Amino acid sequence: MSRLGTLGARLYRGEVGYDFVGKRMLWYGISILITITAVVGLAVRGLNMGIEFSGGAVFTTPKSSLSVSEAKSVAQSASGGHSAIVQRLGHDSLRIQISDLDTKEAQPVQEALAKEMHVAPSKINTQLVGPSWGEEIANKAWKGLAIFMILVVIYLAIAFEWRMALAALVALIHDLTITVGVYALVGFEVSPGTVIGLLTILGYSLYDTVVVFDGLKEASKDITKQSRHTYSELANRSLNSTLVRSINTTVVALLPVAALLFIGGGLLGAGMLNDISLALFVGLAAGAYSSIFIATPLVAELKEREPRMRALAQRVRAKRASAAAKAEDAAAPPDPADDGPGQAETAAAGVAGRGGSAARPS
């Protein structure tokens, strides 16, 4: 068995473990700091909405030796100063995207690109997207997200309890906020692929959380009938027992997404892959973090406020204090001052008696 497998087995048996629940205030502080950074980035920079949401025009050129910078300069000049996003596609064709561009404004751009590339204007494929279509897509995405959240909370409240449902909801909002904030800070374009990525990570974010909650539910079924562990300790043990599996599944899921983001979108220049890959990469990482450091500690904190869990914690502390006192008494050396008053004399008489019997003739 590998070292990682051995560690996983020891974590599962409770032989080793890290106190995630006990240090929850540290994790809360880190999450709050990251979330504030994301919100500030979102408020200051905002989201770079694609033409699918803001409206505009997309020009696709045939094979051309025109560079990306040259095409960008021509498109921005012909559009009257509108910002243009240029991407090189396969077979040396170009994709030029300009937001907030109507039909009349798109015609000069098409003609200018055709003139620069020495082709007929009809060779430049032009697609116009109205802002109303983008608003419809955005509204449907928000409705889908709201319905998803409601169904998740209802399911978790029925399958587990409302505290676990609340903790899972907080973890989901945490993941979404961080992902959207990173998009604002990086400046990547928000496209329908981004929405797909955001909706995808929600399910994955819940995966590890539900696995831990299921183990915790089984472990705490008759928790008040014992006095060895508090609820927080059982929650921490359940979390440690699934820790290695959570790490393995997260790493395996991040590897192909990282390949899309850093190799496909970065090195190879397939910029359209960035839309969905960045959302998946940040969301998967944030989901793994929230499942371990946010959801389970929050459930433990909410449960510890119950009267019966507070009574259990008091019993556990009293039992441990009693056991510690007994162990301390057993380990303490005997005190000579506690000997009986006649023990010294009896010992001396015994010694004298043995000496006298040895001196008598046989």
Side-chain angles (χ1 to χ4, degrees):
M1 184 181 294
S2 65
R3 290 185 177 180
L4 189 59
T6 303
L7 177 60
R10 296 183 66 192
L11 286 169
Y12 182 80
R13 293 192 297 266
E15 297 174 1
V16 295
Y18 186 79
D19 191 9
F20 293 102
V21 176
K23 298 182 178 180
R24 55 180 174 265
M25 298 310 297
L26 174 62
W27 318 132
Y28 294 166
I30 294 174
S31 293
I32 291 173
L33 181 61
I34 297 175
T35 303
I36 290 176
T37 304
V39 172
V40 170
L42 183 62
V44 173
R45 299 196 58 176
L47 291 173
N48 180 21
M49 306 300 293
I51 63 170
E52 293 86 358
F53 300 102
S54 62
V58 179
F59 306 91
T60 305
T61 71
K63 182 177 180 181
S64 172
S65 59
L66 196 67
S67 67
V68 172
S69 59
E70 291 173 343
K72 183 176 182 178
S73 177
V74 171
Q76 291 182 162
S77 177
S79 63
H82 286 273
S83 179
I85 299 175
V86 183
Q87 298 172 344
R88 184 168 294 280
L89 307 178
H91 307 290
D92 292 330
S93 62
L94 297 174
R95 182 179 185 269
I96 304 163
Q97 176 179 304
I98 305 177
S99 299
D100 301 323
L101 209 64
D102 56 24
T103 305
K104 294 181 178 180
E105 294 172 324
Q107 186 66 29
V109 177
Q110 182 182 16
E111 294 175 354
L113 289 172
K115 181 180 179 181
E116 190 70 23
M117 296 179 179
H118 306 290
V119 296
S122 59
K123 295 292 184 180
I124 307 294
N125 183 24
T126 304
Q127 294 179 339
L128 295 174
V129 179
S132 59
W133 185 84
E135 291 178 3
E136 182 181 357
I137 294 297
N139 290 333
K140 289 183 178 180
W142 283 113
K143 290 180 181 178
L145 179 61
I147 293 173
F148 174 83
M149 292 287 194
I150 293 173
L151 293 178
V152 164
V153 171
I154 293 175
Y155 169 75
L156 292 178
I158 295 174
F160 300 101
E161 60 171 304
W162 69 267
R163 295 171 186 82
M164 293 184 177
L166 178 61
L169 180 62
V170 171
L172 285 177
I173 296 174
H174 168 273
D175 300 340
L176 283 174
T177 303
I178 291 178
T179 305
V180 173
V182 169
Y183 252 89
L185 292 172
V186 174
F188 279 8
E189 183 183 67
V190 178
S191 68
T194 305
V195 178
I196 295 172
L198 289 174
L199 296 177
T200 302
I201 65 173
L202 296 180
Y204 189 90
S205 175
L206 284 172
Y207 173 76
D208 285 337
T209 304
V210 170
V211 168
V212 177
F213 284 176
D214 186 64
L216 180 56
K217 179 183 177 182
E218 292 296 324
S220 61
K221 184 178 297 183
D222 298 321
I223 186 172
T224 56
K225 296 180 180 180
Q226 54 85 44
S227 58
R228 293 178 299 171
H229 303 288
T230 65
Y231 189 91
S232 293
E233 291 169 348
L234 285 178
N236 195 72
R237 185 169 181 172
S238 297
L239 184 56
N240 277 276
S241 66
T242 60
L243 180 61
V244 173
R245 179 170 61 177
S246 298
I247 294 174
N248 286 338
T249 54
T250 301
V251 170
V252 170
L254 282 176
L255 286 177
V257 176
L260 286 175
L261 179 61
F262 298 110
I263 298 178
L267 295 179
L268 301 181
M272 289 181 290
L273 294 176
N274 291 335
D275 302 342
I276 187 170
S277 59
L278 180 64
L280 289 174
F281 186 85
V282 177
L284 290 175
Y289 177 87
S290 64
S291 299
I292 297 172
F293 298 99
I294 302 298
T296 305
L298 183 56
V299 168
E301 184 172 358
L302 293 173
K303 289 290 291 185
E304 290 288 2
R305 297 180 180 180
E306 290 185 10
R308 62 193 188 102
M309 293 304 166
R310 289 201 299 265
L312 172 63
Q314 291 177 356
R315 294 200 307 270
V316 171
R317 288 193 294 267
K319 183 177 180 180
R320 290 176 181 175
S322 176
K326 291 179 180 179
E328 184 178 353
D329 292 341
D335 190 352
D338 294 337
D339 292 339
Q343 289 181 355
E345 291 82 355
T346 303
V351 172
R354 288 193 298 272
S357 63
R360 284 199 301 266
S362 56

